[in-house]
Amino acid sequence: MKIAVLGTGMVGRALAGRLSGLGHDVTIGTRDPQATLARTTPDGMGSPPFSSWSASHPDVPLVPLAEAAAGAELVVNATNGSGALPALEQVGAEHLAGKVLVDISNPLDFSQGFPPTLFVKDTDSLGEQIQRAFPQARVVKTLNTLNADLMVDPASLGAESSVFVSGDDAAAKATVTGLLESFGHTDVIDLGDISTARGTEMYLPIWLRLMGALGTAAFNVKIVR
Amino acid sequence: MKIAVLGTGMVGRALAGRLSGLGHDVTIGTRDPQATLARTTPDGMGSPPFSSWSASHPDVPLVPLAEAAAGAELVVNATNGSGALPALEQVGAEHLAGKVLVDISNPLDFSQGFPPTLFVKDTDSLGEQIQRAFPQARVVKTLNTLNADLMVDPASLGAESSVFVSGDDAAAKATVTGLLESFGHTDVIDLGDISTARGTEMYLPIWLRLMGALGTAAFNVKIVR
């Protein structure tokens, strides 16, 4: 499948690398490819410069946001939460219409330090905001409940764990579930319509506290039933 | 141990019955015992009248809130979220001072229907509100992440799952962890201070959506790591 991954951080790299490794035709979209490739220092989250990742993934071109989405059948939003809507505006509704838009972003607000708060919650979610802003996109919220390495290689935990999909379009959720299964996810739970993204986004506070308590991000939930 | 359980709903009954069965000296506290025992219809959550539960648990007296707490070494707040602070005010700070106060309540607001929203979240939690209102109580937030039956009998799921403790007092958390282990909990995770109750309270939205998706409340999370 032709897939555009929007975002050059840890999540974007993990998704793009894995999807490319599985044989998909992947491009990464970013606001200013030249600026991104010119950086020589770690990004705000401590990731190595994108250029070093890019050098080891020659099959995954870095192009402007709209160009990436324009040529794709499926688009993955792997931007950080506060940048999600602006990045998608730059993509343009015409390049998202009718396409599956996988939203992995979380509405984290780090402006008051750590732990972050959520800039939308409870009566709305970032997933819903994106669906409302781009009504012709087929938004599926998923993978926002675990760290980037586990998103694309859950088997590395050594025991089954669960991931969730939320969205209004059943066929889009089926497509995304298939991709998740190709990553190794064996327990994909369909929570319901896109408003159920409120649940997975509000899960972030306990995820962050668990990361602190366990001293690692290498964990995930299994829904035991 | 002498234990007071505040609240006559499903959670209070489950806790009181289990603790009594384990040999603890348990009383249930409620605002107006005579009125509670006089009811002959199911409560707002569909539970049978308290009198029928009481008849099968003759060792567990129902007494006024303050009386229950006054004679107890450990107090369990099993009221519903909106009633928690008023009930504890009626108990009185003098009957909570120095005692472990196990808080199981969730700040659910059903005023706009289902699913409920949270009346405190993100930058504060009900657990913290209770700790601030009763600074001499040793508040431990726990068990608010699973249904009443599983709180006291997690082994019925047939596979290990996880529960959490949040609180400022390490000795109080150790006492509560011991009680949880006596119920059969084998993976009790200490999230940290009482502010980590924000995490477990904000977990409720995904719990509620999971209940809808799975069609049952008989599930719990296992933190796989």
Side-chain angles (χ1 to χ4, degrees):
Chain A
M1 206 186 318
K2 288 186 172 183
I3 298 177
V5 175
L6 313 180
T8 59
M10 287 173 64
V11 173
R13 296 177 199 185
L15 267 286
R18 181 71 157 131
L19 288 164
S20 175
L22 287 167
H24 296 286
D25 181 2
V26 180
T27 57
I28 297 191
T30 194
R31 195 172 300 265
D32 184 341
Q34 285 190 307
T36 298
L37 289 168
R39 272 184 220 121
T40 56
T41 52
D43 70 12
M45 301 299 282
S47 304
F50 185 82
S51 55
S52 64
W53 185 90
S54 196
S56 60
H57 294 82
D59 294 341
V60 182
L62 183 70
V63 302
L65 288 164
E67 184 181 330
E73 305 162 71
L74 180 145
V75 177
V76 178
N77 173 36
T79 64
N80 65 55
S82 59
L85 282 167
L88 292 169
E89 289 293 347
Q90 196 162 336
V91 166
E94 70 275 24
H95 295 135
L96 298 171
K99 296 179 184 174
V100 177
L101 174 55
V102 180
D103 175 33
I104 306 183
S105 61
N106 273 308
L108 298 176
D109 175 0
F110 288 93
S111 64
Q112 305 299 313
F114 193 91
T117 54
L118 302 183
F119 63 74
V120 57
K121 55 193 167 271
D122 205 21
T123 55
D124 197 9
S125 63
L126 185 51
E128 289 165 275
Q129 290 184 337
I130 291 170
Q131 183 64 82
R132 285 198 305 273
F134 301 95
Q136 293 189 75
R138 302 156 67 203
V139 177
V140 179
K141 186 101 199 183
T142 192
L143 291 182
N144 59 312
T145 55
L146 69 177
N147 101 319
D149 293 339
L150 293 175
M151 287 179 191
V152 299
D153 186 18
S156 67
L157 269 182
E160 184 179 66
S161 62
S162 309
V163 288
F164 313 99
V165 290
S166 301
D168 296 339
D169 186 308
K173 286 192 283 193
T175 297
V176 173
T177 298
L179 283 177
L180 295 172
E181 289 171 348
S182 74
F183 294 166
H185 290 284
T186 52
D187 186 31
V188 181
I189 299 176
D190 182 349
L191 290 177
D193 67 27
I194 190 65
S195 77
T196 63
R198 297 175 198 177
T200 57
E201 293 179 9
M202 290 178 79
Y203 167 78
L204 261 284
I206 192 170
W207 187 90
L208 289 161
R209 300 303 192 146
L210 278 164
M211 183 176 67
L214 301 174
T216 176
F219 66 88
N220 189 24
V221 291
K222 164 66 187 175
I223 306 301
V224 182
R225 73 272 196 193
Chain B
M1 204 183 326
K2 288 186 173 184
I3 298 178
V5 175
L6 312 180
T8 58
M10 287 174 63
V11 173
R13 296 178 200 187
L15 268 287
R18 182 72 158 132
L19 288 164
S20 175
L22 288 167
H24 296 286
D25 181 2
V26 181
T27 58
I28 298 191
T30 194
R31 194 172 301 265
D32 184 341
Q34 284 190 307
T36 299
L37 288 169
R39 270 183 222 124
T40 56
T41 53
D43 70 13
M45 300 300 280
S47 303
F50 185 80
S51 55
S52 64
W53 186 89
S54 195
S56 60
H57 294 81
D59 294 342
V60 182
L62 183 71
V63 300
L65 287 164
E67 183 181 330
E73 304 162 70
L74 181 145
V75 178
V76 178
N77 173 37
T79 64
N80 66 54
S82 59
L85 282 166
L88 292 169
E89 289 294 347
Q90 196 161 333
V91 165
E94 70 275 23
H95 295 136
L96 298 170
K99 296 179 184 175
V100 176
L101 175 55
V102 179
D103 175 34
I104 306 182
S105 60
N106 273 308
L108 299 177
D109 176 0
F110 287 93
S111 65
Q112 304 301 311
F114 194 91
T117 55
L118 302 183
F119 63 75
V120 57
K121 53 194 167 271
D122 206 20
T123 55
D124 197 7
S125 63
L126 185 52
E128 289 165 274
Q129 289 183 338
I130 290 171
Q131 183 64 82
R132 285 198 305 273
F134 302 95
Q136 294 188 74
R138 302 155 68 202
V139 178
V140 179
K141 186 101 199 182
T142 192
L143 291 182
N144 60 313
T145 55
L146 69 177
N147 101 319
D149 293 339
L150 293 174
M151 288 180 189
V152 297
D153 185 18
S156 67
L157 269 182
E160 184 178 67
S161 61
S162 308
V163 288
F164 313 99
V165 291
S166 301
D168 295 341
D169 186 307
K173 286 192 283 193
T175 297
V176 173
T177 298
L179 284 177
L180 295 171
E181 290 171 348
S182 74
F183 294 166
H185 290 286
T186 52
D187 186 31
V188 181
I189 299 176
D190 183 349
L191 290 176
D193 67 27
I194 191 64
S195 77
T196 62
R198 295 175 200 178
T200 57
E201 293 179 10
M202 291 176 80
Y203 167 78
L204 261 286
I206 192 170
W207 187 90
L208 289 161
R209 298 304 192 145
L210 278 164
M211 183 176 66
L214 301 174
T216 176
F219 66 88
N220 189 25
V221 290
K222 165 65 186 175
I223 305 301
V224 181
R225 70 273 197 193

